[in-house]
Amino acid sequence: MHFKVFSRSPITAAVILGLLAAQTQVLAQAQPSVPNSSKALQQNPLQQRYTFDLPEQHLLYSLGEFTATTQIAVVRQDGQPINGTAPALRGEMTADEALRTLLADSSLTISYRNGRTAELLEPATSLTVGNQTAFSTLTVSADRIGDDWVYHEPRAVSVISREQIDRTPPRHAADMLQETPGVYSAVNAQDPGLSVNIRGMQDFGRVNMMVDGMRQNFNDNGHQQRNGTMYVDSELLSDVVIEKGASTGVHGAGAIAGSANFRTIDVDDVLLPGKDIGVRLRGMTGVGGEGNGVNFIGSAAVAGRFGDRLELLAARSNRNFGEYAPGRRRPNYDFLTVGVQDQFHQELQQDVERVRFTDNEQDSNLFKARFHIDDDQSLTFSYLGTELSYNNVSDRQIMRAGEVVDGDDAWRRFGDASTTSDSVSLRYNLNPSSPLINLEANAYFVSTEGQRDTEAGRPVVLNGTDMTELNWMMGVCEQNPIPDNAYSACRAGLDNNNRTQIDTYGFTLENTAHFALGGIDGFSSNHGVEYFIDKGESTTAQERGGRQLASIDNTMQPSGERSIASAFGNLQWEDETFTLAAGLRYDYYKLKGSTQLPGAEWTYNDRYAMALRYAQSRLNSAESKCRSSLISEAARQRNCDRIPQEQAYVNDPTTFPNYQTSNNFNPMWQSETVLHDYDVDNSMDKLLPTLSAAYRPNENIELFANWGRGWRPPALTETLMQGSHPGDPFAVLFPNPHAQPETSRSWDLGANFTAQDLFKGGDRFFSKLSYYDTRVDNYLTTSMVNVMPGQPGTGLGHTMFVPNLLPMDFRGLELEIDYDAERWYTQANYTHVLGSDNAFCQRIYPLGSGWIQQDMPNEDGSYPDAHYEAIEAGYESREDQLDNQTYCGIDVIGMNSARQLPMDRGSLTFGTRWFDQRLDVGTRLNYSAAGGPEDFDFDLWPSYVTWDLYASYQVNPNLLLRATMLNVRDRNYVTGYSDIFSKSYGAGRTLMAGAELRF
């Protein structure tokens, strides 16, 4: 039987736009099915009356719909499944009456913790020690029924549970994504930042990465187009909800790939059942010689419930890791010795004993306070802060300064790196007895600051002399301006501190209403608004010997403001067999900032000017050679004797004997590329629809289809970034203030399968199969070959974010299976990517050619031949023809995340429970297919299979012991789709053990 959980209660009675206004009209005409008198509002939630219409179905599903209707959480804390069938429930009754009716045929009894929480107890099977009763967690709440609710949702959604996180504790935040189909990360093991990739798309908000619904929009440019990074502490999470595809929901603005919401622990995650005050202590560490750099993972949390009004939670965590050893079994040396910057040195063997500079430490603090204003309203304040310290590390390069660098030394440490992030929110919930109001408002502020210290680089040495040290000692480097001939040597002696800060101010308002229309039940409306603004600021401080010499704007991480305002509405009708829904989103985007835009300045030189330039060049040459000590005395004297004649030509170029006939003096146009200060003030808007449908032929199968449009406006970096690549002056980056938004069309087709008592009494089977097909137009990628206005040539080394003129396609199949037979269980997921690597075409002159030379008339009034040829080809001018020239090829976009599709991958977990389910022992298989560009002769990411073991034992109600061994067979591997430039192997065999204490 179908079961629908309506996610988080949110806000709005004021809705904008045509669709939203129409829905408001509909709601005004609909009759609420629950009285909303002032008397009812003052009642205890358990005594409020609600109208129910539930069929006879599995008890678990009925309890979920009971919670969705009443907002009263139902928890069962003994870890046993909720089995049995609930009777049909129809009519108006109190919440208490309804719950007791649903449980009438079960052995469960009710114990009310407070007016909003009901505990299900089965004394016959509970474990009692003294006067304490043992409980573990299974929660039925307004937005979650265990983790099984995803198999009742007719869309592509996945959950990473706390149980999954605890089985195999993550070294890097990206490790949490291993068991989620369609989700990857371009992880760099030496940088703890997380960039979530959904179905091949990431960066710049394509995936909306959040903590408790607060957008984490920090952007610190990284390789593999890793532009958009969040810093999250797995120790303080309750779960992660991954929504895939375009959405007209509350968090869908600008997110064409989906969203990832990392949700933090709450009061119920800390308190023991029946307790109003509690403490939870957790700790895990590496064991002996197999610890492999795991120093400590742990947290302390305290929580309290004070009466029926106030709940408080405070927690602190610490994660501390050292360098680790990769696996020793079946090493793949090709991975380390082939690549763009290693010039394909396949003949070298590069063994690695340790992955250097992977040590890092993270400290986090969490505080929550929830005040129940009355039985219908609550106000929640939350704060999450995290601090990380790690290393600023180079790419792995086996060739440095023309010499081979072996093994572990191929990574070079530039200096320290650190990140601090603070997220603050104030959330308001309103959920009266009226089915028309289930409202949530959330105002939040997120500030993330990253710092990277880069120590002075390799000094400039000339003829054995350290010119860097000499120029600084002589004071040459402190002149203003620094002489050109000393500039490079002086810069090599500077320490640099790059600071990047992104502040995000956000607000969401959402309401969900249920109503009947025209006598037909089953209608619901979800509508609201979302607004967020990112403010970026970045500076570079230059130091020498601890003394700050200058502080300048860091245009590699540009300053500016970018905002999106969004209004959305979704209308749905649902009965036992069908679900039909349509949605519409209106987004308005604005970006402001300043940058420097390259342009061409053209100068016309007539015959006189060309002759004068030629004469001046001859004079300069004669004077230089006259003073030179590097040529013979006779040659030097000849040049000295030439000076008077050359000076005469400079004074009057017409005295050249061949003035009228020499081709050297032909008139011509000449260009010079200059940088102009450019103020950017871009704005645009978009209407985005979605459609969805589901069909349930029986209680075990649900078929669904979803279609939607999405868009992603350009980010600050894509629009404003300019400057030289750090440590590589050849690579110059230019802004693209004319970049247009990406637009997407996405399909999801899928099926949910659920069954009870499938192979034996009491077992549960859940499965979700999805096919996705997303097409993105105008996809922005980093191209390394762009010709600037007025310039000829290939543009090699000129890097910009440019749109792909060809559509990008992302297609694949995703499978999730969850089977639980009490004594044993298994979970599986698999992603199969369809299609081939995308093709790329771009304009050769992304900013326009600015090439006017061949469109200017000659002195006789005619035009150059190229002008006439362009017109004959159908263009307005030669400039127009050049503006529309394109280059197609994959070799110019670098090794970013768009160059090749992700690889297939999956995992399989098998576990058993013993001793009244207090002992849980299991194993997990992790698989990744090989991956890399189709035109390569080798795999950038070789295929691999690794095995993990885990065990937990509930000693008593207060103490839980855990142990995990990762990569049991010590397999040498590199995580699929990880950062190809850092070339970091995954960790070898790692043994961890720890405990959780609650009292």
Side-chain angles (χ1 to χ4, degrees):
M1 186 62 61
H2 175 62
F3 164 57
K4 171 73 176 171
V5 180
F6 292 96
S7 60
R8 297 165 297 279
S9 57
I11 272 186
T12 245
V15 194
I16 340 179
L17 301 174
L19 173 64
L20 308 182
Q23 291 183 7
T24 305
Q25 249 184 350
V26 169
L27 298 183
Q29 297 169 1
Q31 295 298 317
S33 55
V34 179
N36 190 15
S37 65
S38 58
K39 180 180 179 180
L41 292 175
Q42 297 302 318
Q43 290 179 340
N44 184 290
L46 297 169
Q47 299 307 315
Q48 289 188 34
R49 302 185 70 79
Y50 301 86
T51 297
F52 297 91
D53 186 12
L54 305 181
E56 181 179 335
Q57 59 182 345
H58 194 286
L59 177 57
L60 180 66
Y61 303 160
S62 289
L63 291 176
E65 297 198 36
F66 168 84
T67 296
T69 300
T70 64
Q71 296 297 295
I72 296 173
V74 181
V75 299
R76 181 169 185 182
Q77 303 282 8
D78 60 4
Q80 298 296 319
I82 296 178
N83 296 322
T85 301
L89 186 67
R90 292 184 173 89
E92 184 179 303
M93 63 190 74
T94 67
D96 179 66
E97 292 171 341
L99 185 56
R100 294 185 186 281
T101 301
L102 293 175
L103 297 172
D105 296 334
S106 74
S107 62
L108 299 171
T109 60
I110 307 170
S111 174
Y112 289 111
R113 180 183 296 174
N114 54 50
R116 287 289 180 190
T117 306
E119 293 180 5
L120 304 184
L121 303 177
E122 192 170 11
T125 59
S126 62
L127 173 67
T128 301
V129 179
N131 60 357
Q132 303 266 340
T133 302
F135 300 92
S136 59
T137 301
L138 177 84
T139 302
V140 180
S141 64
D143 60 350
R144 183 173 58 199
I145 295 189
D147 302 310
D148 302 335
W149 63 270
V150 300
Y151 299 104
H152 304 285
E153 290 294 320
R155 67 187 195 277
V157 58
S158 298
V159 167
I160 302 169
S161 68
R162 181 70 244 179
E163 183 181 14
Q164 287 175 311
I165 297 172
D166 283 337
R167 286 174 185 166
T168 52
R171 179 189 295 269
H172 191 285
D175 297 339
M176 292 187 289
L177 309 178
Q178 174 67 40
E179 297 180 58
T180 310
V183 182
Y184 303 81
S185 180
V187 61
N188 179 346
Q190 292 147 330
D191 186 331
L194 173 62
S195 179
V196 179
N197 179 298
I198 295 180
R199 297 173 170 176
M201 292 178 283
Q202 65 183 54
D203 310 313
F204 295 128
R206 293 186 182 103
V207 175
N208 176 13
M209 299 185 296
M210 300 173 285
V211 173
D212 288 336
M214 298 177 281
R215 288 179 178 255
Q216 308 291 307
N217 288 351
F218 183 71
N219 173 211
D220 190 5
N221 300 334
H223 288 137
Q224 215 157 313
Q225 198 149 314
R226 194 173 61 250
N227 295 281
T229 307
M230 70 180 299
Y231 297 89
V232 63
D233 192 333
S234 61
E235 184 63 15
L236 296 181
L237 296 179
S238 63
D239 62 14
V240 185
V241 178
I242 308 288
E243 299 272 2
K244 306 167 193 176
S247 167
T248 48
V250 66
H251 300 302
I256 61 175
S259 65
N261 190 12
F262 295 75
R263 305 197 294 190
T264 57
I265 59 174
D266 215 331
V267 171
D268 287 327
D269 295 300
V270 177
L271 296 182
L272 286 168
K275 296 289 186 179
D276 290 328
I277 296 179
V279 176
R280 189 189 77 172
L281 302 176
R282 292 163 48 92
M284 180 164 279
T285 186
V287 178
E290 299 292 342
N292 205 7
V294 178
N295 297 329
F296 181 74
I297 306 172
S299 62
V302 296
R305 187 175 281 114
F306 305 92
D308 291 335
R309 297 294 185 217
L310 182 62
E311 298 175 354
L312 296 176
L313 167 73
R316 179 172 176 82
S317 69
N318 175 264
R319 291 167 48 84
N320 190 305
F321 297 93
E323 296 179 346
Y324 64 82
R328 305 306 305 163
R329 182 173 174 270
R330 295 178 61 188
N332 186 303
Y333 300 111
D334 288 344
F335 168 72
L336 296 176
T337 57
V338 292
V340 173
Q341 299 198 33
D342 294 329
Q343 302 174 16
F344 306 102
H345 293 284
Q346 300 183 50
E347 70 278 5
L348 299 176
Q349 180 169 303
Q350 289 274 299
D351 199 4
V352 174
E353 296 293 330
R354 299 197 71 77
V355 180
R356 298 287 308 281
F357 312 122
T358 51
D359 52 304
N360 65 84
E361 185 169 7
Q362 180 175 14
D363 291 294
S364 301
N365 297 290
L366 174 66
F367 176 76
K368 290 185 178 181
R370 180 177 294 110
F371 179 68
H372 296 276
I373 301 171
D374 55 32
D375 292 335
D376 303 319
Q377 304 178 83
S378 66
L379 196 63
T380 304
F381 170 83
S382 68
Y383 165 76
L384 175 65
T386 189
E387 298 180 357
L388 298 103
S389 58
Y390 47 105
N391 299 288
N392 183 13
V393 186
S394 71
D395 302 333
R396 190 178 196 282
Q397 293 182 305
I398 63 171
M399 296 295 294
R400 191 181 301 152
E403 298 180 355
V404 175
V405 181
D406 195 18
D408 308 345
D409 295 329
W411 291 289
R412 184 159 56 100
R413 187 179 187 275
F414 291 143
D416 295 326
S418 64
T419 300
T420 60
S421 182
D422 297 288
S423 302
V424 182
S425 77
L426 186 62
R427 189 184 305 268
Y428 170 75
N429 290 82
L430 174 63
N431 187 23
S433 56
S434 169
L436 299 181
I437 301 176
N438 186 358
L439 182 124
E440 180 177 289
N442 185 27
Y444 63 88
F445 169 71
V446 178
S447 179
T448 305
E449 179 182 303
Q451 291 197 104
R452 291 184 182 271
D453 296 328
T454 303
E455 299 171 356
R458 188 181 295 106
V460 174
V461 178
L462 181 63
N463 296 326
T465 302
D466 186 336
M467 299 303 298
T468 296
E469 187 64 30
L470 179 63
N471 284 323
W472 276 102
M473 183 180 65
M474 296 179 61
V476 174
C477 298
E478 298 194 47
Q479 297 179 17
N480 190 12
I482 299 173
D484 290 344
N485 60 0
Y487 184 77
S488 296
C490 290
R491 281 186 59 86
L494 287 172
D495 298 333
N496 289 278
N497 178 278
N498 296 315
R499 184 187 71 87
T500 301
Q501 181 170 338
I502 302 289
D503 292 340
T504 301
Y505 301 81
F507 175 74
T508 60
L509 183 68
E510 182 184 17
N511 184 60
T512 300
H514 304 273
F515 55 92
L517 189 62
I520 302 176
D521 293 327
F523 284 94
S524 64
S525 171
N526 172 260
H527 44 268
V529 295
E530 179 182 11
Y531 174 79
F532 65 91
I533 181 171
D534 297 326
K535 297 184 177 182
E537 179 185 350
S538 185
T539 58
T540 297
Q542 297 177 331
E543 299 177 351
R544 172 74 178 178
R547 179 166 59 99
Q548 182 170 316
L549 301 176
S551 180
I552 58 176
D553 287 341
N554 181 0
T555 54
M556 291 289 293
Q557 309 287 346
S559 301
E561 296 182 3
R562 174 183 182 266
S563 64
I564 293 182
S566 180
F568 60 91
N570 298 279
L571 185 62
Q572 178 176 283
W573 173 77
E574 182 176 49
D575 67 5
E576 292 186 4
T577 305
F578 295 101
T579 299
L580 299 174
L584 185 65
R585 171 185 297 283
Y586 171 78
D587 283 350
Y588 176 79
Y589 153 84
K590 188 173 184 62
L591 185 148
K592 295 183 67 175
S594 59
T595 186
Q596 288 186 314
L597 199 63
E601 290 190 353
W602 288 90
T603 303
Y604 180 74
N605 296 281
D606 58 16
R607 183 167 292 274
Y608 183 90
M610 295 299 295
L612 178 60
R613 177 176 297 187
Y614 181 72
Q616 186 65 60
S617 175
R618 287 170 56 110
L619 175 61
N620 293 341
S621 175
E623 290 178 338
S624 175
K625 292 178 179 179
C626 178
R627 298 188 300 267
S628 176
S629 59
L630 301 178
I631 60 177
S632 66
E633 179 62 26
R636 188 183 67 82
Q637 187 58 48
R638 283 197 301 271
N639 280 279
C640 291
D641 294 341
R642 283 177 48 212
I643 290 177
Q645 181 60 61
E646 302 299 345
Q647 184 65 59
Y649 290 145
V650 169
N651 293 336
D652 185 1
T654 63
T655 60
F656 272 116
N658 56 349
Y659 175 75
Q660 293 294 340
T661 59
S662 175
N663 290 332
N664 291 330
F665 309 151
N666 287 340
M668 65 179 300
W669 287 87
Q670 290 184 319
S671 71
E672 179 183 6
T673 300
V674 296
L675 290 176
H676 299 286
D677 291 335
Y678 190 85
D679 292 327
V680 179
D681 190 353
N682 296 341
S683 62
M684 56 197 78
D685 59 2
K686 191 79 170 177
L687 277 173
L688 303 163
T690 58
L691 296 171
S692 62
Y695 169 60
R696 293 170 287 279
N698 56 52
E699 64 180 8
N700 303 115
I701 300 175
E702 179 180 46
L703 308 176
F704 60 84
N706 297 282
W707 171 89
R709 295 281 186 182
W711 82 325
R712 185 193 70 85
L716 288 171
T717 301
E718 293 166 303
T719 307
L720 305 176
M721 180 178 68
Q722 56 95 12
S724 295
H725 187 288
D728 183 7
F730 169 74
V732 181
L733 298 107
F734 292 96
N736 189 357
H738 308 307
Q740 295 298 303
E742 300 169 349
T743 58
S744 70
R745 180 275 301 148
S746 59
W747 276 100
D748 272 293
L749 302 174
N752 290 320
F753 303 92
T754 63
Q756 182 81 16
D757 305 325
L758 183 62
F759 299 114
K760 56 171 290 188
D763 70 358
R764 298 175 299 148
F765 176 84
F766 301 96
S767 179
K768 183 186 288 285
L769 175 65
S770 299
Y771 165 77
Y772 64 88
D773 185 332
T774 301
R775 170 177 172 153
V776 184
D777 293 308
N778 208 53
Y779 198 97
L780 291 168
T781 63
T782 46
S783 165
M784 301 183 298
V785 179
N786 300 279
V787 184
M788 293 298 106
Q791 292 186 354
T794 63
L796 183 62
H798 294 170
T799 301
M800 286 179 62
F801 290 94
V802 300
N804 185 6
L805 301 179
L806 301 176
M808 302 276 286
D809 293 312
F810 304 90
R811 297 184 298 117
L813 294 168
E814 298 167 347
L815 174 66
E816 289 183 82
I817 296 175
D818 189 338
Y819 177 77
D820 195 320
E822 298 186 9
R823 173 56 63 89
W824 66 275
Y825 59 89
T826 185
Q827 297 170 342
N829 77 85
Y830 194 81
T831 305
H832 176 52
V833 179
L834 299 172
S836 56
D837 289 346
N838 283 292
F840 292 83
C841 282
Q842 68 164 87
R843 298 195 186 279
I844 294 176
Y845 290 91
L847 298 176
S849 67
W851 197 268
I852 65 171
Q853 173 191 10
Q854 292 165 314
D855 294 316
M856 301 300 293
N858 299 318
E859 291 181 342
D860 61 1
S862 64
Y863 286 86
D865 292 341
H867 175 80
Y868 297 112
E869 292 169 358
I871 292 176
E872 290 178 4
Y875 297 95
E876 296 180 357
S877 61
R878 173 61 174 165
E879 182 182 14
D880 181 43
Q881 186 179 35
L882 291 173
D883 288 348
N884 287 280
Q885 276 190 339
T886 59
Y887 173 83
C888 296
I890 200 171
D891 55 306
V892 300
I893 68 169
M895 301 304 297
N896 68 39
S897 64
R899 177 163 185 169
Q900 62 281 314
L901 295 174
M903 62 289 297
D904 289 5
R905 78 170 189 177
S907 69
L908 174 65
T909 299
F910 178 83
T912 61
R913 304 184 183 101
W914 302 85
F915 308 118
D916 294 329
Q917 301 193 15
R918 289 186 296 166
L919 175 63
D920 186 351
V921 179
T923 183
R924 185 181 75 174
L925 174 149
N926 312 294
Y927 165 75
S928 176
E934 294 175 347
D935 57 337
F936 275 35
D937 295 329
F938 52 86
D939 297 324
L940 288 182
W941 299 281
S943 65
Y944 64 88
V945 172
T946 64
W947 291 87
D948 306 321
L949 295 176
Y950 62 87
S952 66
Y953 181 66
Q954 188 79 52
V955 179
N956 57 45
N958 304 98
L959 179 61
L960 175 69
L961 303 179
R962 289 193 181 92
T964 300
M965 179 176 285
L966 303 176
N967 196 359
V968 175
R969 303 178 70 196
D970 204 28
R971 177 71 156 87
N972 184 277
Y973 74 100
V974 56
T975 304
Y977 221 54
S978 60
D979 187 337
I980 191 59
F981 287 102
S982 69
K983 293 178 182 274
S984 298
Y985 280 125
R989 184 184 297 117
T990 305
L991 177 61
M992 295 176 278
E996 177 180 312
L997 180 64
R998 298 171 71 191
F999 55 88

